[in-house]
Amino acid sequence: MAALAKKQEATAARLDGLTVPAGGQWASEARAAALGRLHEMGLPERRDEYWKYTRPDTLTQAEAPAAAVFETGEAPLFDSFDRIKVVFVDGVFDADQSDDLAGEGLTIERLADVAEKDIHWAKELYGVLEAKGQVPVERPLAAFNTAYATDGVVIHVTGKVAKPVSLIYQHKAETSDAVLHHVIKLDAGAEVTVLENGPAAARFNKSMEVDVADNAAFHHVRAQGRDHERRAVTHMFGRMGTESVFKSFTLTVNGRLTRNEAVLELTGDDAVAHVAGACLGDGDFHHDDTVFVTHDAVNCESRQVFKKVLRNGATGVFQGKILVQPGAQKTDGYQISQSLLLDEDSQFLAKPELEIYADDVACSHGSTSGAIDEDALFYLRARGVPKDIATDLLVMSFVAEAVEEVESEELRDEIIGRLESWLERRRG
């Protein structure tokens, strides 16, 4: 109790001077409830069970640590795709760079506008999935996001949307501190692809709540990179109905500190949820994937596939759990987390978990960490392939299983091309 009281005191001091954004009745109530949850839990610290591998202090301190803005000379990811662009600069919507947000089969609105209204469908979701995702594991930085986010998008998908919705995050100020919250609702039978890319800010706190109705499909591809000194914590909360599909993939190639949390709940029979990621870390790089998947319906499938390539002292973390509730028979749950350590200075910390309360299930989890296969490397070098290129080929082979989780072949090719470019630059 004394430790909790100390956390709460530290949290109150951190929040002193911050103002919860004003809004309509539903938004104000949701933000006030989130602030109450945050005060009750306290901001995270290293002694918390799910933060023992990752230092949260730079994510919770009053001022955002400075992060230099870098340019790689490459065209932005997804630039060649026909898409609906929604641009944020240091966490603020930029209408001039964004496309017309009207589209067939969906409506896109700005959270800053929606929150001013007294009546809106977002009331059913804003902060609702986040609040439910606080049990059994507390996620105080998500509650912070719900309470203090002033911008983001609210997307209602009513049909099958041909163009992807592309959320682009630009970083301009070296001390920017961005807090964004997105809400996405898919009606029965609807389908949409959401893309995310860009460094966003010096420090970035983002939450996304996704409600996938019966027979609907949500595809999500995210790229985090470019500005190496940036820090980010993201949360994705998903709820899946009967025969729905939820697939998310994240590529990370830079960043001093990144913590990605995914909290998914399969509530309808025959639902499918896949969450995957590939990261390549070099030097002062700490990357944490924390995933919690709950099966609460019959004959559902979930996959967690995470691959991390680390060198020069980089650190990778994976904390993944599959929870099978009573009655969730015929569950098919798969979890794999693997790291490829390219030197003896890097480390991979893993905590895979299964908790099963049904007896007719097929659940598995595994975690491995190792070096480059010397036999495979010798085989390539014996055929005239230089060592650095041979190493990169083996790296690409290692991350392939995660990249294959991306539904679109065109998007897979784009991701593979960027990974190859990153490896080539490191060779240079």
Side-chain angles (χ1 to χ4, degrees), residues 83-84 86 106 108 155 161 163-167 192-195:
R83 57 204 165 122
I84 302 170
V86 185
L106 84 168
I108 305 176
I155 303 175
V161 182
K163 292 183 180 181
V165 178
S166 182
L167 307 179
V192 71
T193 297
V194 174
L195 309 176

Side-chain angles (χ1 to χ4, degrees), residues 226-274:
R226 199 189 74 171
D227 295 4
H228 181 66
E229 295 176 1
R230 65 172 180 81
R231 291 169 169 84
V233 57
T234 74
H235 295 82
M236 176 173 286
F237 299 94
R239 180 171 61 191
M240 281 122 271
T242 300
E243 296 184 8
S244 64
V245 174
F246 180 108
K247 290 189 176 182
S248 175
F249 171 83
T250 300
L251 169 68
T252 307
V253 295
N254 276 320
R256 184 158 292 176
L257 172 62
T258 305
R259 163 97 166 201
N260 295 324
E261 296 199 29
V263 185
L264 309 179
E265 184 180 19
L266 293 86
T267 62
D269 295 347
D270 302 297
V272 174
H274 292 194

Side-chain angles (χ1 to χ4, degrees), residues 18 101 103 107 144 158 180 210 213 270 335 355 378 398 408 411:
L18 295 181
L101 300 186
T107 59
F144 178 96
T158 57
L180 291 179
V210 184
D270 302 297
Q335 178 195 95
E355 188 173 345
F378 176 80
F398 173 75
S408 162
L411 287 171

Side-chain angles (χ1 to χ4, degrees), residues 49 53 56 71 76-77 82 95 100 139 153 170-171 179 190 192 237 251 266 311 329 344-345 347 377 382 388 414:
E49 175 66 20
Y53 297 139
E71 296 294 341
L77 198 66
D82 186 17
D100 181 357
R139 307 176 196 281
V153 289
Q170 297 182 1
H171 174 203
V179 183
V192 71
F237 299 94
L251 169 68
L266 293 86
R311 68 181 182 185
Q329 304 293 354
E344 295 183 356
D345 298 323
Q347 62 176 337
L377 185 62
D388 53 356
E414 177 87 352

Side-chain angles (χ1 to χ4, degrees), residues 180-232:
L180 291 179
H181 194 113
H182 307 312
V183 178
I184 303 175
K185 177 183 179 181
L186 283 79
D187 287 351
E191 184 171 359
V192 71
T193 297
V194 174
L195 309 176
E196 294 185 278
N197 72 288
R203 182 170 64 182
F204 189 36
N205 182 323
K206 187 210 72 181
S207 283
M208 179 182 288
E209 297 178 284
V210 184
D211 188 37
V212 188
D214 297 350
N215 301 109
F218 175 75
H219 301 284
H220 173 248
V221 180
R222 170 174 57 178
Q224 302 169 315
R226 199 189 74 171
D227 295 4
H228 181 66
E229 295 176 1
R230 65 172 180 81
R231 291 169 169 84

Side-chain angles (χ1 to χ4, degrees), residues 249 251 253 278-280 307 309 340 342 372 380 388-404 412-424 427:
F249 171 83
L251 169 68
V253 295
C279 86
L280 280 68
K307 301 294 186 84
V309 181
L340 186 61
L342 300 183
I372 285 283
L380 291 171
D388 53 356
I389 296 177
T391 299
D392 289 352
L393 289 172
L394 294 173
V395 166
M396 292 300 299
S397 175
F398 173 75
V399 301
E401 182 184 3
V403 178
E404 283 297 318
R412 286 201 304 271
D413 291 343
E414 177 87 352
I415 290 165
I416 290 169
R418 287 309 169 100
L419 284 171
E420 291 173 343
S421 296
W422 188 90
L423 291 168
E424 185 178 352
R427 286 204 306 269

